[in-house]
Each structure stands twice: as C-alpha cells, then as structure tokens.
Amino acid sequence: MGIKFIQMKYISLNDKNHKVSFEDAVVRGLAPGKALYFPEKIPNLSKDFFQNLGELSKEEIAFEAIKPFVGEEIDKNGLQEILKKTLNFEFPVVPISENTGTLELFHGPTLAFKDVGAGFMAGCLGHFVKKGNLGKITVLVATSGDTGGAVANGFLGVEGIDVVILYPKGKVSEIQEKQLTTLGQNITALEVNGNFDDCQDMVKKAFSDAEISEKRQLTSANSINVARWLPQMFYYFFAYKQLTEKQEKLVFSVPSGNFGNICAGMLAKKMGLPIDRFIASNNENNVVTRYLQSQEYSPKPSVQTISNAMDVGNPSNFVRILELFNNEFEPLSKQLSSFSYSDEETRKAIKQVKEKYNYVMDPHGAVGYLGLQEFFAENPDYYGTFLETAHPVKFLETVEEVIGKKVEIPVSIKEAMNKEKKAFNISDYDELKAYLMQ
C-alpha cells in the first residue's frame, strides 16, 4: 500500500552533502557540528492507504508510515515486532465538546506520549546492536520531565546499551523524578544543578568531545534523534482514523516544548495525511509564538512553569519544521499558528474544563486546549483535537490544588513512588565528562 524506498538517506541540516543511513543517523544521534539529521526525501503515501485506514490495525498503519524511513535496514518481521512492542496500548480521541476532542497519549508504561518514541528507538538500537558491529553504546539524554522516564523504561534491560539521563534538580515533578531514578540496572540518573537548557547543552557538548568519543560510543534519545522523532507521526494517523467521519476541517493543537511532536505531525501532513492546520501551544517559553508574530527567531533562557516539559528556550526541532517548508515563512505561517499562556491561564483552563465537561487535563493538555479555543475564535469551521501528552497524576500537586479533588493514582505510579531514588548530583560539564570517562 505505502510507497517503499529501499534506502532512505538522512542529510545533515548544516551540510546537505553529508548523507548517512537510517542506522547511522540513529546511532550517531547528531550530525557533525551538532546538526540534526533529516530525511532526504519525504515519501507520499498512496490514496489506497488512506482509503483503507479504517480497516487497518495500529501496527499496520504504523508499519506503512514508518517503512519508507527505515527501508531495508530492519527486515519486515523485525520492524513489525518493534512496532508491536511499542504500540501495545491505546490512543483514544475523547470527545470534550461538539467541536473539540482530546487525543490521549498517556496510556503507555510511563503515562506520557514519549513512550512511543522511546520504545521505538530502543527497539531499533537494540536491533542494530544485536547485528554485532557496534559494540557497547551509551544513550545520553537530557529531560525536562517525561523524556527521562520514557527512555529509562524503553531501554531498561536492553542488552549492550547503557543509559545516562540528565535532569534539572527541583524542576521535574516527584513522580517524573521517581520514574527515572528508581530503575537501576543499565539506567543512571544525573541530577543537574541548573535548568533543562543547561542539561541539553551538556549533552550536545559531550557529543562533540573527542576524548569521550574514544571512550564511549554515544547516541542521544532526545527528540533530536530520528528514531525518537519520526514515530511521533503515528499519533496523527491513529487520531485521523477516529476522526474520518468529521465533516469539518481538522486542526491539531500540540503542547510544544522541543517541537518534535508537532514537527512529526506536520511531516505526516506532508506525506498525505489530511490535516488542515496545526497549533503550537506554548507556555511562557514562547520563542515560536514570537517568531510567527515577528518573523524573528530569538531564543532566550527558559523559565520554569507548571507545564515543565515545555520549559525550553531554544527548541531543537523547530529547524526541522523550517526545513519542511524550505525555510520559507509564508507557507509555514499558513499551516502553523502559535499562542502562549501563563501558569494562571493554564490553571484556570484546568478548573473550567473539569467543571464544565468533567474532564481532568494535565497542565500541558490545558495549554493545548487554550490554543485551540483561541484558534476557534477566528476559525469556527474546524474540528479541533488537542493532545493530552501526560496523565494528570504526573502533576498531582498542581492538578489536585486546582480542581479541589483527588486524582486517582494508577498502580504503576504507586509502585514507583515506593522505590528509592538513586541519582548522582552534578553542577557542570566537567563533572559530566568525568562520569562518562570512568
């Protein structure tokens, strides 16, 4: 059904003459000079595929969508097995009001949307390691909240792979911290005295450090890695399957931090998925909102908010969105809107939606909901879906305080909360390097 490319190449966004295979892009994480990898061609999926979407399973849809990007580098059975393991939970679109639904992405093992990307990447990397020519690999990753837990869970016990996770001290929720600091085995957590941008800068610096490269084979599991970024397109195919009977035009509002999720959705549209518009919903870290207003891209240090997974002052994946539109502002602005909201507005939205629709949003979903409502003010002829990217329980204190009620805690979270935290505290790059050089 889908068009298959035998060998997709990945280019560096800093040097399009630099081309590598899918395996190389996954293993390296970043191209030389800290550049991101990007597929050389965007495949068009066939009309048959979209016409038959309603009859296909999640795994079949995902296989057709991702196959052109993997090519023959993972055999059909191997790829199907990775997808089966990665997608073993549901992705329901839950109606909120007449013109609004929410795509719940928190039904995976760590209750966050990042379970899909982390699980898929772990499967791919595990497959490549088993081929026997890579040796031992260290996955080095920075997290602003949910990435750490998802990566830790996805890679737990994968043979031949060590995982080192950097997270900002005091800037992730207690549940998020427990999910990434209590697993042990091949997972190490480093608690950084700083913010997420400091963590991400340290990770990028380590990748370009020749001394570390001689000691360890590093790769990243942040959404900058193509194996983390690409499978996020699955959400939009799964949602569209559930929305095909809607007569209105479709718009998706995506709570956006590092912009990998929304970029994958826009990639799916380029492949033929009939989505009309996207909304990048920001908290007060609003560099893209400001860009779409001024055409000037000016990163600034991140500020801490209650939607902490979006506390990113310089979103890495936005350069991929620009590439999708050949770095041309006008066509991009016709498909992407962006709005930003304060913590006070976010809390108010959580309270209002609970009272009016009896639905409990997490702070990130609330920002997505707000973006949708603002978009509707001038575009009433759309059906809107906002993404609930994490279970409200992961932001227990904030949500319970706002709605004035207890949130039911899933069993998996109760188990994690009873485990002992194990993390090493570091303050600067030299301390990270010293750890990696052991």
Side-chain angles (χ1 to χ4, degrees), residues 234-252:
F234 300 159
Y235 316 142
Y236 302 90
F237 287 96
F238 299 161
Y240 179 76
K241 178 184 173 180
Q242 298 170 69
L243 297 170
T244 47
E245 293 180 6
K246 298 292 178 190
Q247 299 303 309
E248 306 97 324
K249 294 181 286 187
L250 299 180
V251 58
F252 279 77

Side-chain angles (χ1 to χ4, degrees), residues 22-241:
F22 176 70
E23 179 178 338
D24 283 344
V26 173
V27 172
R28 293 181 188 185
L30 284 167
K34 303 181 185 176
L36 270 60
Y37 282 115
F38 192 83
E40 188 177 25
K41 297 176 182 174
I42 307 299
N44 289 312
L45 295 173
S46 69
K47 288 182 181 176
D48 284 351
F49 170 70
F50 292 108
Q51 286 169 355
N52 296 324
L53 206 63
E55 299 162 29
L56 301 178
S57 68
K58 294 194 306 289
E59 292 80 8
E60 288 169 331
I61 291 169
F63 180 84
E64 292 297 329
I66 204 72
K67 177 65 177 170
F69 296 96
V70 178
E72 306 302 316
E73 295 185 58
I74 299 176
D75 61 271
K76 181 178 180 181
N77 290 342
L79 186 55
Q80 286 175 331
E81 191 56 39
I82 291 168
L83 292 170
K84 184 179 176 184
K85 191 175 177 184
T86 301
L87 301 172
N88 63 349
F89 50 92
E90 295 307 309
F91 301 81
V93 176
V94 177
I96 301 293
S97 67
E98 191 179 342
N99 66 345
T100 302
T102 181
L103 173 59
E104 292 185 344
L105 300 176
F106 55 69
H107 294 280
T110 72
L111 311 185
F113 79 102
K114 297 180 179 184
D115 283 326
V116 169
F120 183 78
M121 183 184 169
C124 291
L125 209 49
H127 179 90
F128 296 142
V129 167
K130 274 182 192 167
K131 281 167 55 177
N133 58 348
L134 292 177
K136 196 164 179 90
I137 284 180
T138 298
V139 172
L140 182 63
V141 64
T143 184
S144 56
D146 287 327
T147 294
V151 168
N153 184 276
F155 281 90
L156 183 64
V158 176
E159 204 173 318
I161 299 176
D162 286 329
V163 178
V164 179
I165 301 168
L166 281 69
Y167 71 99
K169 182 175 183 177
K171 293 181 172 65
V172 301
S173 74
E174 186 183 1
I175 287 172
Q176 288 172 326
E177 185 175 45
K178 285 282 190 176
Q179 285 184 321
L180 63 96
T181 61
T182 59
L183 293 174
Q185 293 188 52
N186 58 329
I187 312 295
T188 300
L190 301 180
E191 189 177 21
V192 176
N193 294 317
N195 60 26
F196 170 72
D197 292 323
D198 296 324
C199 297
Q200 186 155 264
D201 287 344
M202 284 190 205
V203 167
K204 288 181 177 178
K205 197 169 179 182
F207 272 95
S208 57
D209 192 316
E211 287 183 274
I212 294 174
S213 299
E214 286 179 18
K215 183 84 175 178
R216 290 182 184 246
Q217 168 94 29
L218 289 183
T219 191
S220 172
N222 280 91
S223 56
I224 52 179
N225 191 299
V226 294
R228 265 284 317 280
W229 165 56
L230 289 169
Q232 294 179 108
M233 74 171 94
F234 300 159
Y235 316 142
Y236 302 90
F237 287 96
F238 299 161
Y240 179 76
K241 178 184 173 180

